[in-house]
Amino acid sequence: MGSSEKLGKISSECEFANISSFGVWVLVRNAEYFLDHKRFPWFKEADVEDVLDVESPQDGHLRWPALDVDLHIDSLDHPKGYPLTAFAKPQKKRAVRSRKSRRTR
């Protein structure tokens, strides 16, 4: 098998256990990881569909293409070895129109 045949292969080794307002629980190779929103802010405001769309292009590597997020399992197993934290740009809140009640005189 040539190396080009391995590229982009999606694996089913990743599964989601739960998504909450605190973070995301993901199962990878029978190990459960909690990706809290403080450390992994990309998932907080993301659409559920984009969070669930995860690929494993290489062993030990997770990728969310719609969110442009890549994580190595080793960084989840040994977080102290990866002290740098990325910051997500705050997303603009959608404006909500409020109705002003009409006053009658």
Side-chain angles (χ1 to χ4, degrees):
M1 174 188 314
S3 62
S4 64
E5 292 175 60
K6 293 181 180 181
L7 297 177
K9 183 177 179 183
I10 298 173
S11 172
S12 61
E13 69 180 37
C14 180
E15 176 181 336
F16 286 89
N18 192 14
I19 298 176
S20 77
S21 60
F22 301 105
V24 177
W25 284 264
V26 62
L27 300 169
V28 182
R29 287 187 259 136
N30 298 321
E32 185 176 49
Y33 299 98
F34 176 61
L35 310 177
D36 66 281
H37 292 315
K38 289 180 184 176
R39 188 159 176 239
F40 303 96
W42 315 284
F43 303 116
K44 185 174 184 176
E45 298 292 328
D47 292 335
V48 172
E49 181 179 305
D50 292 338
V51 174
L52 296 176
D53 181 28
V54 63
E55 302 174 350
S56 183
Q58 298 174 351
D59 189 35
H61 178 209
L62 301 176
R63 174 161 171 66
W64 286 263
L67 303 175
D68 195 27
V69 172
D70 290 88
L71 291 175
H72 288 274
I73 300 300
D74 192 57
S75 70
L76 301 175
D77 286 331
H78 306 99
K80 290 183 181 181
Y82 300 85
L84 297 177
T85 304
F87 295 96
K89 291 183 200 175
Q91 293 186 357
K92 294 180 182 178
K93 299 283 183 182
R94 294 181 185 157
V96 177
R97 294 184 197 179
S98 62
R99 290 188 192 180
K100 292 185 179 181
S101 60
R102 293 184 184 179
R103 292 186 178 176
T104 57
R105 294 184 182 203

